[in-house]
Amino acid sequence: MILILSTFGDLSTDWVIDWINYYNCPFYRINAYDVFFKKVCVDISNSQIVLENDRLKISDINAVWYRKFGLLRNSETFKNAVHAVPFESMVNIYREWTAFLKTIANIFESKQWLTHPDAVRLNKCSVLRLAKEVGLDIPQTCVVNNRNIIDQLLTEQPLIFKSIYDPFFPKHEDEMYTMYTQELTESLVRECDLPELFSPSLIQEKIEKEYEIRVFYINKRLYSMAIFSQNDTQTQLDFRNYIWEKPNRRVPYKLPHLIEKKIRKLMYKVGLNCGSLDLIKSKNGLYYFLEINPVGQFGMVELPCNYDLHRKVAIELIKMDRKRFSRKICG
Amino acid sequence: MKKNKVFYLYACCIPVKGSQRSLIMDIQRNNFYFIPNVLFEILTKYRTKSINKIKKIYQQEQAIDDFFDFLIKKECGLFMNSLSVFPKMDTGYQSPYLITNAIIETDRRSQHNYTNIFAQLSNVNCIAIEMRFYDFIALQDLIKIVAQTYDSTFRTVNIFLPYSAEYEQDAMKEFLLQNARVQHLIIYNAPQFIFTEEEQNSSCLEYVPYTMDGSCGHVSPRYFRANREMLCESINRNNCLNRKVCICKDGSIRNCPAMVQQFGNIATCDLKHVITQKTFTKLWNINKDKISVCSDCEFRYMCHDCRAFITDSNNIYSKPKKCNYDPYTTAWN
């Protein structure tokens, strides 16, 4: 049986399940927040999970799809708790939650995983270093905490800055703030009166791009898409600054074999058999690797390219489910 | 400088050739742009030729430049050194649902067992239903029927009701809030237009001064849809009848409510068995390219077909009767 660890309302999960149903394969879906509303018992000694009236024997499961399982801070329960519980307790609740998810993941240790949970906590900088090791081009990158270096670097090249770990979208007095990739200009440094010392931040050289490339990777296969965002200044740095009336052009793309080979190597090194990658094709003709998103949306690659990805993910899961005795991660 | 370059028409901009003119179907922006047939030829036959070569082939300078300027202005493409990294979009059609949409008709004489109907539709993975009521139904009875969709595969339930004073806005809004699957509730024969959208779940409540009859089979630019789903389904299947089913007032099973042929009754038949019979699906593969006149029409991949009302009842491949467009003169008659 295929076990799907997901989140309520994730459409990609729904669509993959439609195909698993179509092929008449047994599956069971657990949404992370079920824990808040349903009776759950992870029975360690008897190797089973009981969810309401469903009894799930660990030995019946052969493949596990780990898909957006348990972003606690996105849940309503967490958002409400933030106001009611002191900060230290909140940090602890968060740790407990992470350990709980880890427990579930551990129970299925020997199964075939599509995206192993141990591999999803990527550090951007480590991944960049590995990318360089396998021979991919990466933008000049450093983590700095002081204005001197920034002033110095800005005299040499245009810069951008982004989160080291995850972007987040803080809400303050009912205003949403976004943390998209931004250009770091001299005027911005002046305007926000950047202090001499600040929290370590990821700074990268700004690559003059011809277009962006988003890759969906699954069991060594790559499905790529080019995004032309250069026409509009609003999306030049980060195409998520979306223009709804005139969406960016997003088209099927075929990376050169050598780049695909290096990406396979990189994914193997980080222990992922599935995920999304961001690259830039620069104006000087190079492919710059930017980052891996381990649980990336493949719907956004699927939609414009008609790659039939939901069916392909379903087929991969079914294949993995049938390869029951192999302990090796497909990758 | 661009002389040796080739023009990359974005994979989402699909050139479609008609008898007298062609168009570019922009499936990402739900739009289309007319182009002369000669430009269609340039964009397909000479797709990989450099601008210079194209100018030589046609012995034209200015006209070719003007063509490409037009396409760039419409953001349909740009000049590239090579197209080798830009494959065309696959236009295949795949669906995990045996039935995608179902219509369920009900009037005061209907004896539907909704539990059975919903279970049978779920058994064929149906994801959207439209419930058409021709006679008054008390709101509390409607609530009971909709409650039975709880275990179904439906993601969308749309409902048509004939106007009654009982259908007060507040009560209907509350109904929409309580039933997340119901995304569109239309009350026809209403005294006036009212349109409201719920913020919470973006469901729509609409009062319209129309009747329900004769609203099918019309062909008009109003109904054009330029998107990927429409394109791929139209290229491969009949975009009106493919994977559709209707449970009529008397329980009879049909491909569409306007079609005469019926295939047993939902009360006594196994729906999955019925809809997988060749006789039931025989029209599903009549795509636009097989239909006379439509096959010469530049709108064919964004325009809904109709096989219930056709110009020649003896020829199932004849043009939809309620279409008054003539692709040979490009006139709407």
Side-chain angles (χ1 to χ4, degrees):
Chain A
M1 195 198 291
I2 300 163
L3 177 68
I4 298 168
L5 301 175
S6 184
T7 294
F8 176 79
D10 180 62
L11 283 177
S12 282
T13 308
D14 296 350
W15 288 328
V16 169
I17 285 177
D18 288 336
W19 279 110
I20 295 174
N21 263 330
Y22 174 87
Y23 290 114
N24 272 323
C25 291
F27 71 92
Y28 193 86
R29 174 178 181 167
I30 301 179
N31 294 321
Y33 307 153
D34 282 354
V35 178
F36 300 137
F37 312 107
K38 293 183 180 170
K39 293 174 196 144
V40 181
C41 174
V42 183
D43 186 345
I44 312 274
S45 26
N46 293 310
S47 295
Q48 60 179 8
I49 293 180
V50 185
L51 219 133
E52 293 280 319
N53 299 319
D54 299 334
R55 191 173 298 271
L56 203 62
K57 280 172 70 185
I58 309 298
S59 55
D60 289 344
I61 308 287
N62 299 313
V64 190
W65 185 25
Y66 188 81
R67 157 104 203 136
K68 297 212 163 177
F69 188 59
L71 292 164
L72 180 66
R73 67 176 143 88
N74 291 349
S75 74
E76 285 303 314
T77 312
F78 183 81
K79 284 173 192 162
N80 294 334
V82 167
H83 302 289
V85 180
F87 176 73
E88 293 80 14
S89 311
M90 214 56 231
V91 171
N92 196 263
I93 288 172
Y94 205 94
R95 283 206 205 108
E96 284 286 307
W97 172 261
T98 313
F100 164 72
L101 294 183
K102 183 97 180 154
T103 306
I104 294 192
N106 274 345
I107 290 179
F108 300 102
E109 188 64 60
S110 62
K111 311 295 184 186
Q112 296 273 334
W113 284 85
L114 193 66
T115 309
H116 198 283
D118 285 349
V120 300
R121 284 170 207 289
L122 293 178
N123 179 299
K124 260 180 211 153
C125 301
S126 323
V127 175
L128 281 166
R129 194 175 46 79
L130 287 172
K132 203 180 164 202
E133 260 176 48
V134 302
L136 287 164
D137 288 305
I138 62 167
Q140 296 279 353
T141 306
C142 55
V143 178
V144 298
N145 77 334
N146 65 85
R147 185 168 170 167
N148 282 2
I149 295 191
I150 288 196
D151 288 339
Q152 170 65 34
L153 287 173
L154 272 174
T155 60
E156 293 161 16
Q157 69 219 320
L159 297 175
I160 59 130
F161 63 104
K162 53 174 151 184
S163 55
I164 307 178
Y165 187 58
D166 261 343
F168 81 123
F169 308 102
K171 217 173 151 184
H172 179 66
E173 287 168 0
D174 280 338
E175 286 229 41
M176 280 287 279
Y177 292 86
T178 52
M179 255 192 72
Y180 292 140
T181 303
Q182 277 212 36
E183 183 163 3
L184 186 58
T185 56
E186 274 171 47
S187 62
L188 186 65
V189 169
R190 245 181 290 118
E191 255 170 54
C192 66
D193 199 13
L194 196 66
E196 282 310 314
L197 287 175
F198 45 85
S199 169
S201 303
L202 187 80
I203 310 290
Q204 268 180 343
E205 93 182 270
K206 183 188 167 196
I207 307 290
E208 285 300 323
K209 70 181 173 199
E210 193 178 355
Y211 42 82
E212 277 177 62
I213 299 162
R214 177 64 69 103
V215 182
F216 177 65
Y217 178 97
I218 180 163
N219 286 347
K220 291 183 183 166
R221 289 197 190 86
L222 286 87
Y223 301 92
S224 308
M225 168 175 88
I227 302 162
F228 290 87
S229 53
Q230 206 61 12
N231 296 348
D232 268 291
T233 45
Q234 203 182 337
T235 55
Q236 269 181 20
L237 282 162
D238 190 325
F239 77 92
R240 282 172 298 187
N241 294 335
Y242 205 75
I243 306 160
W244 287 103
E245 299 77 40
K246 266 184 153 191
N248 294 324
R249 293 309 193 175
R250 293 172 294 162
V251 295
Y253 193 77
K254 179 81 181 112
L255 282 166
H257 282 295
L258 193 60
I259 302 289
E260 290 202 341
K261 223 169 130 182
K262 289 172 180 172
I263 287 174
R264 284 191 195 98
K265 250 191 200 168
L266 174 65
M267 291 300 271
Y268 181 78
K269 279 201 169 201
V270 296
L272 282 171
N273 54 1
C274 184
S276 294
L277 299 96
D278 293 346
L279 290 92
I280 280 182
K281 168 84 187 299
S282 73
K283 283 198 170 142
N284 58 12
L286 292 177
Y287 290 93
Y288 284 94
F289 166 84
L290 296 183
E291 61 186 86
I292 299 175
N293 185 352
V295 282
Q297 280 291 359
F298 57 95
M300 67 95 69
V301 176
E302 156 67 16
L303 195 75
C305 301
N306 202 27
Y307 281 140
D308 200 15
L309 290 179
H310 295 98
R311 190 164 73 104
K312 283 172 178 150
V313 171
I315 289 172
E316 286 305 316
L317 286 167
I318 293 165
K319 276 202 282 193
M320 292 164 81
D321 191 43
R322 289 175 182 164
K323 250 196 273 175
R324 54 166 64 203
F325 295 112
S326 161
R327 289 178 70 105
K328 225 182 112 208
I329 295 173
C330 297
Chain B
M1 185 190 115
K2 71 179 187 200
K3 280 180 181 169
N4 294 316
K5 294 203 167 190
V6 285
F7 186 78
Y8 171 51
L9 183 69
Y10 291 129
C12 52
C13 291
I14 316 288
V16 186
K17 188 171 186 282
S19 167
Q20 300 302 311
R21 61 181 173 184
S22 299
L23 57 79
I24 287 172
M25 189 171 159
D26 187 340
I27 59 169
Q28 266 171 19
R29 295 182 180 173
N30 191 20
N31 209 342
F32 62 87
Y33 323 109
F34 289 115
I35 55 169
N37 280 349
V38 60
L39 184 49
F40 175 88
E41 189 179 67
I42 292 173
L43 292 171
T44 51
K45 192 173 168 190
Y46 301 123
R47 179 175 178 263
T48 54
K49 296 269 185 278
S50 70
I51 307 307
N52 241 0
K53 284 244 174 66
I54 290 171
K55 283 179 176 172
K56 252 184 215 146
I57 291 165
Y58 289 94
Q59 293 294 312
Q60 292 274 354
E61 274 280 334
Q62 194 56 46
I64 301 288
D65 280 336
D66 289 349
F67 276 156
F68 287 118
D69 283 348
F70 167 79
L71 292 177
I72 284 170
K73 224 176 81 199
K74 292 284 179 194
E75 296 183 25
C76 289
L78 30 80
F79 293 107
M80 290 279 173
N81 291 322
S82 145
L83 298 183
S84 62
V85 290
F86 293 108
K88 284 187 184 173
M89 189 190 75
D90 181 71
T91 51
Y93 172 84
Q94 302 280 355
S95 172
Y97 320 111
L98 291 175
I99 292 291
T100 52
N101 311 59
I103 293 173
I104 303 164
E105 297 186 309
T106 305
D107 68 6
R108 75 172 81 83
R109 281 179 299 276
S110 299
Q111 310 233 314
H112 292 326
N113 172 350
Y114 292 100
T115 313
N116 168 52
I117 294 176
F118 296 158
Q120 294 230 46
L121 285 170
S122 293
N123 193 36
V124 292
N125 301 340
C126 176
I127 47 166
I129 63 165
E130 181 175 298
M131 305 192 69
R132 296 182 179 174
F133 292 90
Y134 293 95
D135 292 311
F136 172 76
I137 174 168
L139 184 55
Q140 62 194 46
D141 293 330
L142 182 67
I143 290 171
K144 277 183 204 151
I145 293 171
V146 172
Q148 294 177 58
T149 64
Y150 181 76
D151 274 333
S152 73
T153 53
F154 314 147
R155 293 184 188 151
T156 311
V157 176
N158 291 341
I159 300 174
F160 283 85
L161 298 168
Y163 179 79
S164 146
E166 196 194 304
Y167 301 144
E168 289 173 347
Q169 265 199 68
D170 287 347
M172 299 323 263
K173 280 185 173 176
E174 185 57 29
F175 168 76
L176 285 174
L177 283 176
Q178 298 297 324
N179 295 278
R181 276 196 176 88
V182 183
Q183 288 176 4
H184 209 152
L185 178 58
I186 296 155
I187 296 164
Y188 60 95
N189 292 345
Q192 56 178 336
F193 272 115
I194 302 173
F195 177 89
T196 56
E197 190 176 341
E198 282 304 322
E199 248 180 59
Q200 206 174 317
N201 57 7
S202 64
S203 59
C204 299
L205 173 62
E206 232 179 315
Y207 293 79
V208 295
Y210 304 134
T211 56
M212 270 286 284
D213 305 317
S215 58
C216 197
H218 290 288
V219 171
S220 149
R222 269 184 62 196
Y223 305 120
F224 285 170
R225 282 194 299 139
N227 61 36
R228 190 198 69 167
E229 290 81 358
M230 186 68 176
L231 173 82
C232 296
E233 193 169 26
S234 303
I235 286 178
N236 297 284
R237 299 280 189 276
N238 185 281
N239 63 22
C240 193
L241 297 171
N242 182 40
R243 290 163 206 266
K244 310 287 192 298
V245 74
C246 177
I247 311 300
C248 299
K249 297 169 199 169
D250 57 358
S252 61
I253 302 167
R254 293 172 214 230
N255 196 174
C256 117
M259 302 209 86
V260 187
Q261 201 178 3
Q262 54 184 60
F263 300 82
N265 196 291
I266 191 77
T268 52
C269 292
D270 175 42
L271 183 69
K272 192 171 190 167
H273 178 75
V274 170
I275 61 118
T276 45
Q277 296 298 305
K278 278 223 168 72
T279 47
F280 190 84
T281 61
K282 67 173 191 277
L283 302 177
W284 290 9
N285 287 325
I286 301 184
N287 60 14
K288 285 281 187 183
D289 290 320
K290 290 179 184 156
I291 297 166
S292 57
V293 186
C294 291
S295 59
D296 291 324
C297 178
E298 59 275 21
F299 299 119
R300 64 187 175 280
Y301 301 134
M302 53 182 158
C303 171
H304 267 292
D305 187 44
C306 174
R307 291 294 92 202
F309 306 104
I310 48 181
T311 43
D312 176 1
S313 54
N314 293 318
N315 177 10
I316 194 61
Y317 295 99
S318 60
K319 182 191 169 186
K321 197 174 192 168
K322 297 183 190 175
C323 168
N324 54 16
Y325 179 68
D326 182 350
Y328 308 108
T329 60
T330 72
W332 292 89
N333 297 308

